[in-house]
Amino acid sequence: MRKKLLLLMTGLMVIFMLAACGSKSQDDVVKELNGKLGDLSGYKVNAKMTLKMGSDSQVYNVEIWHKDPTFYRVNLKNAEKDQSQMILRNEQGVFVLTPALNKSFRFQSDWPQNSSQAYLYESLIKDIVADKNAKFSTTKDYYVFETKTRYQNNSMLPFQEIKLNKKDLSPAVVKVMDPDRNALVTVEFSKVKFNASFDKDAFDMKKNMTRAQLHLPAMAEGGDKAFTVKYPTAELKGTKLIGEKEVKIKNGKRVVLTYDGKKSFTLVQEKVTVKEATAPTYVEGDIVDLGLTIGAVTDHSISWSHDGVDYMIASKNLTKEELIDVAQSVQGDAVK
């Protein structure tokens, strides 16, 4: 009897040990991610990004290319409006292209190293590794991490949930959340190809602009059409709209909104015209993801284009985070 009991206990111990071997700890997964990142020569990924803006949602198709160590091509296309923007990084610098308007901007920036990027695989890994208090769980198919983000305005989007496929640690779903854990940005990945190969001119600015324009239904029309003036919905205590001025310009009009108070600022809006082919315009500041579009932020201003309109906010009283918050709120409903 004693011998049988000993055999039974030994068998149970073996079963428990085998079960333990089959489940990976958080440290195990993080170690594997670090190893995968070190071996990665590049990748091509397709994704769908959904942005929740109040009661509305915008959906973008995103194509991401990365060639180690510093070449990037991120093509964001609105699924409904045939609008697209592209972020390129090559040996000349960082560029933001708006093909429909034949516009290109050049930044001296360390993007994407300076912030979280929900659609970049290596950025997700860095977020996981950097957050020593990250929460970890598993499901049948996924490893799930909840981490802090590194956004410049991370008071609005402080958390993210990252799901990785167990079979190859590829990204599956990322949800970027507000302080109440509501998902405001959701990225669903598909067609992940690691260690992808690229053509010689895959990251060339002029080639990418030309290719993108060939797929447009038509180039955008001139700026003589009226546009709807938009007003920021972000609440700044003691700040109110005191003036709205319309200025006629060569190809349409410019609208200047003046806000007064402790957090005073000026918002300029202007219909965009299609530009003749020119060299990229150099832009001071850092690239910032505003959700619906890519912008440029400095210590005292933020500028961006969306739906054929150029926007610029200037202020000596707003912090960078406040500039970003106000800019993001301009994409909401056009109400005062």
Side-chain angles (χ1 to χ4, degrees):
M1 176 67 70
R2 187 175 180 183
K3 186 175 181 181
K4 288 182 179 179
L5 183 60
L6 184 61
L7 287 172
L8 178 61
M9 291 177 64
T10 303
L12 289 172
M13 287 177 64
V14 171
I15 291 171
F16 288 139
M17 288 173 67
L18 289 172
C21 290
S23 60
K24 294 180 181 178
S25 69
Q26 181 173 350
D27 289 341
D28 293 333
V29 178
V30 170
K31 186 176 180 180
E32 284 191 31
L33 286 170
N34 268 322
K36 194 171 187 71
L37 187 61
D39 295 336
L40 196 62
S41 64
Y43 56 80
K44 291 181 179 179
V45 177
N46 288 348
K48 182 177 77 171
M49 181 167 66
T50 303
L51 309 174
K52 189 175 181 182
M53 311 293 291
S55 59
D56 297 325
S57 293
Q58 294 278 344
V59 179
Y60 285 80
N61 296 320
V62 190
E63 183 183 49
I64 307 110
W65 293 358
H66 170 48
K67 182 181 179 182
D68 191 64
T70 59
F71 282 22
Y72 291 89
R73 176 185 180 274
V74 180
N75 192 25
L76 302 105
K77 184 176 181 180
N78 188 295
E80 296 179 355
K81 298 183 178 180
D82 284 320
Q83 297 171 1
S84 68
Q85 276 189 307
M86 185 181 296
I87 310 173
L88 278 175
R89 179 171 177 170
N90 56 29
E91 65 272 9
Q92 278 83 43
V94 178
F95 301 86
V96 174
L97 313 182
T98 306
L101 298 170
N102 207 25
K103 289 175 64 174
S104 58
F105 297 98
R106 181 182 177 184
F107 295 77
Q108 287 298 326
S109 170
D110 61 355
W111 181 91
Q113 307 303 324
N114 55 359
S115 176
S116 293
Q117 308 293 335
Y119 40 72
L120 296 183
Y121 181 56
E122 68 281 6
S123 178
L124 297 174
I125 294 177
K126 289 177 181 177
D127 290 343
I128 290 171
V129 173
D131 189 353
K132 304 304 180 184
N133 297 314
K135 297 178 182 178
F136 175 74
S137 61
T138 64
T139 67
K140 179 183 177 182
D141 299 315
Y142 306 114
Y143 297 118
V144 185
F145 289 87
E146 184 180 303
T147 77
K148 296 176 183 177
T149 64
R150 295 178 293 117
Y151 290 109
Q152 293 178 4
N153 59 328
N154 77 334
S155 63
M156 286 185 64
L157 298 171
F159 307 112
Q160 62 186 344
E161 181 188 85
I162 303 168
K163 285 186 178 180
L164 304 173
N165 290 299
K166 281 185 173 181
K167 60 181 180 179
D168 60 358
L169 297 181
S170 62
V173 181
V174 174
K175 294 181 179 179
V176 187
M177 300 175 288
D178 67 13
D180 296 321
R181 299 302 202 279
N182 299 308
L184 301 187
V185 181
T186 302
V187 184
E188 300 168 271
F189 295 87
S190 61
K191 297 181 181 179
V192 179
K193 184 178 181 180
F194 290 127
N195 298 318
S197 58
F198 299 95
D199 294 335
K200 186 178 179 180
D201 58 2
F203 300 91
D204 180 82
M205 192 278 290
K206 291 182 179 178
K207 294 286 187 182
N208 276 285
M209 179 70 89
T210 301
R211 289 184 191 125
Q213 289 173 340
L214 289 174
H215 291 89
L216 292 173
M219 293 295 282
E221 295 182 15
D224 55 345
K225 285 186 175 182
F227 66 93
T228 301
V229 178
K230 291 190 175 182
Y231 304 85
T233 57
E235 294 184 6
L236 297 172
K237 189 175 180 180
T239 300
K240 61 180 180 179
L241 178 66
I242 63 167
E244 179 171 338
K245 183 179 180 181
E246 183 177 314
V247 181
K248 290 186 178 180
I249 55 177
K250 182 178 179 181
N251 295 309
K253 69 178 181 180
R254 177 184 296 132
V255 176
V256 181
L257 306 179
T258 304
Y259 288 79
D260 193 25
K262 286 187 177 181
K263 296 292 185 178
S264 62
F265 63 91
T266 301
L267 169 59
V268 181
Q269 305 175 46
E270 180 181 325
K271 186 71 177 177
V272 184
T273 58
V274 178
K275 293 183 176 293
E276 297 294 330
T278 59
T281 302
Y282 179 73
V283 178
E284 295 284 348
D286 297 317
I287 287 179
V288 60
D289 189 343
L290 297 175
L292 294 179
T293 188
I294 304 299
V297 63
T298 70
D299 289 337
H300 300 295
S301 69
I302 186 168
S303 57
W304 71 98
S305 298
H306 182 250
D307 206 10
V309 178
D310 276 346
Y311 298 86
M312 193 271 288
I313 296 172
S315 174
K316 292 183 179 180
N317 301 320
L318 297 181
T319 64
K320 270 190 177 182
E321 184 172 307
E322 289 169 335
L323 283 167
I324 294 169
D325 290 348
V326 174
Q328 287 177 324
S329 78
V330 175
Q331 307 299 348
D333 297 330
V335 295
K336 297 183 183 179

